[in-house]
Amino acid sequence: MSETKKHYRTCNLCEAMCGLEISYEGKKIHSIKGDANDPLSEGHICPKALALGDIYNDPDRLKTPIRKTNDGWEDISWEEAFQEIETKIGAVRSNYGNDAVGIYLGNPNAHILGNNLFLPFFIRAVNSKNRFSASSVDQLPSHFASHYMFGHGFLIPIPDIDRTDYMMIIGGNPMVSNGSLMTSPNFSKRMKNIQKRGGKVIVVDPIKTLTGKKANEHIFIKPETDALFLLAMIKTILDKGLATLGHLENNIEGFEKIKNVTEEFTAEKVARIVGITKEKIEETAIEFANAPSAVCYSRMGASTQSFGGLCQWLTNVLNIITGNMDKPGGPMFTQPAFDVAMMRSNKNKKDSYGRYRSRVKNLPYYNNEFPVATMADEILTEGEGQIKAIFCVAGNPVLTTPNGDRLAEGLDGLDFMVSVDIYLNETSRHADIILPGATGLETSHFDITFNAFAVKNVAKYSPPLFEKTEEQKHDWEILRKLASILSGQPESNLTPEIMLEGGLQASSHAASGMSLEKLKQYPHGIDLGALNTCLQNRVQTKDGNIQLAHPVFIEDLERLKNTYFSDGKTNEAFPFQLIGRRLLRSHNTWLHNSYRLVKGRNECTLIMHPNDASRLNIENGQMVQLSSKIGMVEIEAEISDEIMEGVLSMPQGWGHGKKGVKMKIAQAHPGVSINDLTDHERLDELTGNAALNGVNVNVATC
Ligand SMILES: Nc1nc2c(c(=O)[nH]1)N[C@H]1C(S)=C(S)[C@@H](COP(=O)(O)OP(=O)(O)OC[C@H]3O[C@@H](n4cnc5c(=O)[nH]c(N)nc54)[C@H](O)[C@@H]3O)O[C@H]1N2
Ligand SMILES: Nc1nc2c(c(=O)[nH]1)N[C@H]1C(S)=C(S)[C@@H](COP(=O)(O)OP(=O)(O)OC[C@H]3O[C@@H](n4cnc5c(=O)[nH]c(N)nc54)[C@H](O)[C@@H]3O)O[C@H]1N2
Ligand code: SF4
Ligand SMILES: [Mo]
């Protein structure tokens, strides 16, 4: 007779790493709750966690390989699938060379232990420079800034929110996202604690988000002008003599240069452009500088825009010149038990920035990949070096990258495509073969990526709750096999656990007994303490100093000035600016097949200001046509005075109405895709990140 048991694990859906307590009996899940004993999340979960059970039980989820036929799909064995991949990829390589095989890596790869560990082998075996990932529609500018300032893209400063007195959030909505590059489960409680301590939270966003509402103050800013706002804050702080470098004083290069280059960015000059008064900019700057401890945190809205690299750089500069960097209550650095920044050290390595240029648009290679916004160019443009085959691993770029429809057209023209994915969705429908890995509750977990970005040092290993079935394979088994096929080498016998143990033993925590065995004894996780002052030991620049004014950023200021300090052109055909948003009960593109998350009112709406609506005779709830130079969608209008005039907001991750998808619930709640409007030619030219926000659009009644 079976009995009810409890299983503890880390939720790996988003970056928050919440501890879960799952009650189950045999293969049946009774409940999924927050684990009160998890040292980081202390019992918090969000509605999405329940979807882990829904995914496990989803009849639409694929468990074994399928192959496209003339009139649909057929089941095939793993052997047959691998055999066909070997033959077809072999043909592409011998006809066109290795670079004709492209790779796209989606977001869940960062959240799955096995993928984190086995992708490097797979990538090496594919041996193509045509690599792309969701990073360049997301956080690439943060890596870029860290790379040039601290010497490693993974040395990202994390807000020490549990001790700060003042937090400024630019272009982030952690009340909904639970933090990104700031793993902070229960952000709501953490923010309330700042307020209870007498501290202040201030949000800078073109829309008053849930975070904006709960914060002490919200300031509206015009999309894409954050770099100017930050420059004016920095200039004000320097002018008022409030700058200090604190304990990092002898490790910083370029402070004088910062004074010179910010000279012309006065609050007065930028006020009208950013939509914030001179007085407000100055008052905010002074408040920030005078706070006992403060942290400026800039996220999606400040990354996926035309000046993402400058925003992330200036955010670090602001934190550094106010003496907050690497200090309790400021932005600090993690010391994770699996220490990627130290294991994959950059010291003595050549900079990959610009090592290659993309064939069609001449865009720089960075972080060992090209901007995904140009993936379709590389597929669609004929000639030597054209991509003829794609491996898409745990990604849905047709819905997540700019001008998704154009990419879909490109994928259809490929000689061969493989998706490693658990669903037949908007992207994998273009594949010839889909290889589904076991997922979620069937896998073991240790968060290699997000422990590096958490507001506290913790470590936890979760075994699988349910063993996968005999006929399934783990993603890492698929990747390991593909690596063997594509490299011609025998398949290794490594497992995630063997590699995890290797990583744990390579970190500084090994000296105090960290090991997989030890982790197994603590199913709720181990508390490794608050963030520490440690930057001087972790910085990896050539001379060991922080580069405050690296020329790559200084040069990009010219582009900013050319855009905003010359006569502004208004775009008459597309007078509005479109920005994206995240929803509490939705996760990127792939949780919409969970009924409990999509039921209820339609959330895929276009938020617009009442003045804009009344000028265009649009009523709340009415369907409108939203168009850009790229495409058009029909969407329900939601009128609200919580958005700036001239700005429109719609959620990302929807658009399941496309043909050939097999996700019944999602198809019944399709929504429309924001990336049918975003422009693949709009990039942050410095980093190559897509500028998904600030898209010029028009709106009209249907
Ligand atoms: N306009 C606009 N575009 C955006 C954004 C935005 O804010 N606005 N946000 C961007 C951001 S931040 C991100 S991270 C990207 C995300 O971009 P993507 O990574 O391309 O999209 P996801 O929706 O995360 O796709 C995840 C895919 O992985 C599959 N999957 C889920 N679990 C598993 C698993 O265990 N194994 C395997 N093999 N597959 C699995 C899912 O079925 C799905 O197909 O989108 C970006 N695109
Ligand atoms: N519930 C839920 N949680 C998630 C996800 C999800 O899909 N759903 N996705 C996960 C992923 S992959 C990520 S990357 C994180 C993202 O986490 P966040 O960055 O916290 O989430 P977003 O909602 O994208 O927040 C971006 C904010 O920037 C604002 N914005 C847009 N343009 C501009 C601009 O030009 N300037 C300024 N100042 N603000 C601007 C938007 O209005 C929005 O409020 O969330 C993660 N968590
Ligand atoms: S906030 Fe993220 S990690 Fe926490 S329960 Fe929700 S989806 Fe899972
Ligand atoms: Mo993301």
Side-chain angles (χ1 to χ4, degrees):
M1 230 184 64
S2 61
E3 50 172 328
T4 301
K5 292 188 190 153
K6 287 203 161 95
H7 168 83
Y8 297 96
R9 68 184 296 110
T10 305
C11 176
N12 69 336
L13 289 174
C14 86
E15 301 180 32
M17 297 199 306
C18 297
L20 305 179
E21 180 186 278
I22 306 181
S23 297
Y24 69 102
E25 195 176 346
K27 293 256 172 179
K28 190 169 164 24
I29 296 165
H30 288 314
S31 68
I32 299 181
K33 294 186 177 149
D35 175 3
N37 294 318
D38 182 285
L40 181 68
S41 62
E42 298 174 344
H44 172 78
I45 56 165
C46 84
K48 289 181 294 173
L50 300 178
L52 279 173
D54 297 343
I55 297 165
Y56 178 68
N57 291 313
D58 190 345
D60 289 337
R61 173 161 70 98
L62 302 172
K63 295 197 173 141
T64 50
I66 56 172
R67 174 168 58 196
K68 193 175 271 161
T69 62
N70 288 337
D71 52 3
W73 292 84
E74 64 183 357
D75 291 323
I76 52 169
S77 70
W78 288 101
E79 292 68 36
E80 226 180 319
F82 288 128
Q83 184 58 57
E84 181 158 338
I85 291 169
E86 185 168 5
T87 310
K88 294 277 171 60
I89 295 290
V92 168
R93 281 171 150 187
S94 60
N95 288 336
Y96 308 103
N98 282 3
D99 287 336
V101 181
I103 304 178
Y104 173 77
L105 303 178
N107 166 278
N109 289 299
H111 295 266
I112 306 173
L113 173 66
N115 298 38
N116 252 302
L117 293 169
F118 283 82
L119 275 171
F121 299 106
F122 166 73
I123 290 167
R124 227 170 291 142
V126 175
N127 189 22
S128 160
K129 66 173 185 293
N130 278 315
R131 285 171 51 189
F132 309 87
S133 83
S135 289
S136 52
V137 277
D138 189 346
Q139 82 291 359
L140 203 67
S142 296
H143 295 308
F144 191 93
S146 287
H147 176 90
Y148 284 105
M149 299 182 79
F150 309 122
H152 198 295
F154 239 62
L155 286 176
I156 291 178
I158 308 302
D160 182 20
I161 62 174
D162 293 343
R163 288 181 288 188
T164 197
D165 298 290
Y166 193 102
M167 182 170 192
M168 174 181 279
I169 301 174
I170 303 182
N173 187 9
M175 281 289 292
V176 168
S177 66
N178 275 284
S180 177
L181 299 183
M182 175 182 69
T183 288
S184 51
N186 210 349
F187 182 82
S188 170
K189 183 169 155 202
R190 294 188 139 96
M191 177 156 80
K192 272 190 204 130
N193 285 342
I194 298 175
Q195 293 166 330
K196 271 193 211 153
R197 292 197 292 273
K200 176 167 179 178
V201 179
I202 177 166
V203 174
V204 183
D205 200 301
I207 181 165
K208 195 166 186 180
T209 57
L210 190 57
T211 312
K213 284 180 206 163
K214 300 279 176 186
N216 302 67
E217 188 177 349
H218 167 259
I219 304 179
F220 286 111
I221 188 166
K222 289 195 190 153
E224 299 206 294
T225 64
D226 307 270
L228 291 171
F229 171 66
L230 284 160
L231 282 159
M233 279 194 53
I234 292 166
K235 158 108 180 111
T236 305
I237 290 167
L238 292 169
D239 283 356
K240 305 267 175 207
L242 294 172
T244 163
L245 300 179
H247 72 288
L248 296 173
E249 189 170 0
N250 298 322
N251 296 88
I252 288 172
E253 261 173 45
F255 184 48
E256 286 304 315
K257 183 95 192 160
I258 293 292
K259 288 186 185 159
N260 298 339
V261 298
T262 50
E263 198 51 46
E264 62 187 293
F265 297 94
T266 60
E268 188 170 6
K269 189 164 175 185
V270 308
R272 189 189 45 80
I273 307 169
V274 304
I276 308 172
T277 63
K278 165 183 179 284
E279 292 71 28
K280 189 77 219 168
I281 297 172
E282 287 175 350
E283 177 196 313
T284 310
I286 294 166
E287 215 175 66
F288 189 93
N290 283 337
S293 67
V295 54
C296 177
Y297 160 78
S298 299
R299 203 38 201 108
M300 276 298 279
S303 266
T304 50
Q305 56 142 292
S306 303
F307 299 99
L310 285 182
C311 286
Q312 297 302 337
W313 166 58
L314 292 165
T315 298
N316 289 339
V317 171
L318 173 64
N319 286 322
I320 291 170
I321 64 146
T322 49
N324 285 300
M325 183 63 77
D326 190 37
K327 205 186 86 177
M332 299 193 77
F333 294 82
T334 58
Q335 289 161 297
F338 192 113
D339 198 345
V340 176
M342 290 302 162
M343 280 175 74
R344 299 180 194 159
S345 164
N346 260 352
K347 280 227 154 150
N348 309 321
K349 275 199 197 147
K350 275 217 178 118
D351 194 352
S352 83
Y353 183 72
R355 183 186 299 158
Y356 309 110
R357 289 270 157 185
S358 68
R359 180 179 64 105
V360 180
K361 293 267 170 68
N362 199 32
L363 296 171
Y365 195 70
Y366 171 67
N367 216 20
N368 296 311
E369 58 183 39
F370 288 119
V372 69
T374 198
M375 185 160 78
D377 298 323
E378 296 296 331
I379 297 172
L380 288 163
T381 311
E382 285 179 18
E384 212 183 310
Q386 182 183 3
I387 296 179
K388 294 285 191 179
I390 284 269
F391 282 101
C392 178
V393 185
N396 194 357
V398 168
L399 292 192
T400 60
T401 64
N403 201 349
D405 273 344
R406 179 167 178 262
L407 176 64
E409 184 195 321
L411 297 179
D412 269 340
L414 288 169
D415 286 6
F416 192 60
M417 172 172 169
V418 179
S419 270
V420 181
D421 208 287
I422 57 172
Y423 285 114
L424 175 42
N425 66 15
E426 299 76 20
T427 298
S428 62
R429 75 196 155 119
H430 297 280
D432 296 283
I433 290 184
I434 306 179
L435 304 173
T439 189
L441 303 178
E442 299 160 333
T443 63
S444 59
H445 191 62
F446 173 95
D447 220 306
I448 291 183
T449 309
F450 299 103
N451 274 304
F453 305 132
V455 298
K456 187 172 178 180
N457 291 310
V458 290
K460 175 161 160 179
Y461 172 78
S462 323
L465 166 56
F466 302 124
E467 285 304 325
K468 67 171 184 60
T469 55
E470 272 289 302
E471 62 268 24
Q472 285 177 279
K473 280 193 192 298
H474 285 294
D475 275 326
W476 62 266
E477 290 177 295
I478 297 170
L479 293 169
R480 196 178 73 174
K481 179 72 182 177
L482 289 174
S484 158
I485 291 172
L486 297 166
S487 65
Q489 301 289 319
E491 195 173 342
S492 84
N493 52 13
L494 286 171
T495 64
E497 277 68 17
I498 294 173
M499 293 179 70
L500 172 59
E501 177 66 0
L504 295 172
Q505 292 313 317
S507 96
S508 59
H509 294 275
S512 36
M514 178 56 72
S515 69
L516 183 54
E517 261 326 294
K518 181 167 175 188
L519 287 173
K520 284 181 179 169
Q521 290 161 25
Y522 293 87
H524 305 286
I526 301 178
D527 189 342
L528 299 171
L531 303 181
N532 285 309
T533 293
C534 63
L535 182 54
Q536 276 137 324
N537 300 330
R538 291 178 73 74
V539 77
Q540 292 187 25
T541 49
K542 294 242 161 13
D543 61 3
N545 287 333
I546 297 164
Q547 304 298 319
L548 203 58
H550 195 287
V552 292
F553 302 112
I554 306 293
E555 282 160 24
D556 201 37
L557 287 173
E558 290 306 313
R559 188 169 61 95
L560 184 72
K561 285 193 262 183
N562 291 340
T563 306
Y564 289 108
F565 291 171
S566 55
D567 286 341
K569 294 178 276 286
T570 48
N571 187 328
E572 280 167 22
F574 300 107
F576 291 92
Q577 282 187 294
L578 180 68
I579 58 172
R581 68 176 190 271
R582 283 182 156 67
L583 304 172
L584 256 184
R585 303 164 69 81
S586 185
H587 192 77
N588 295 346
T589 71
W590 66 281
L591 288 194
H592 296 144
N593 219 38
S594 161
Y595 180 68
R596 69 178 114 202
L597 292 187
V598 291
K599 69 177 181 196
R601 90 176 171 96
N602 171 29
E603 289 197 282
C604 188
T605 58
L606 184 72
I607 301 184
M608 64 191 307
H609 192 275
N611 294 352
D612 291 328
S614 73
R615 227 171 344 101
L616 298 167
N617 283 324
I618 293 170
E619 281 172 26
N620 199 38
Q622 185 178 338
M623 291 303 286
V624 292
Q625 285 185 340
L626 180 63
S627 57
S628 73
K629 137 180 178 214
I630 298 300
M632 198 269 286
V633 299
E634 291 192 1
I635 184 166
E636 183 186 326
E638 182 179 340
I639 299 171
S640 162
D641 59 7
E642 284 166 350
I643 193 162
M644 278 181 116
E645 247 184 280
V647 181
L648 305 169
S649 156
M650 74 179 277
Q652 48 87 237
W654 297 80
H656 310 295
K658 302 190 190 278
K659 273 201 207 98
V661 174
K662 190 171 168 291
M663 295 172 78
K664 279 186 217 67
I665 298 168
Q667 285 168 287
H669 303 80
V672 285
S673 174
I674 189 170
N675 288 318
D676 288 347
L677 300 167
T678 51
D679 184 348
H680 58 284
E681 299 203 321
R682 284 187 81 237
L683 294 177
D684 169 20
E685 284 170 27
L686 176 60
T687 64
N689 210 59
L692 302 168
N693 288 312
V695 180
N696 290 117
V697 291
N698 197 10
V699 66
T701 49
C702 289

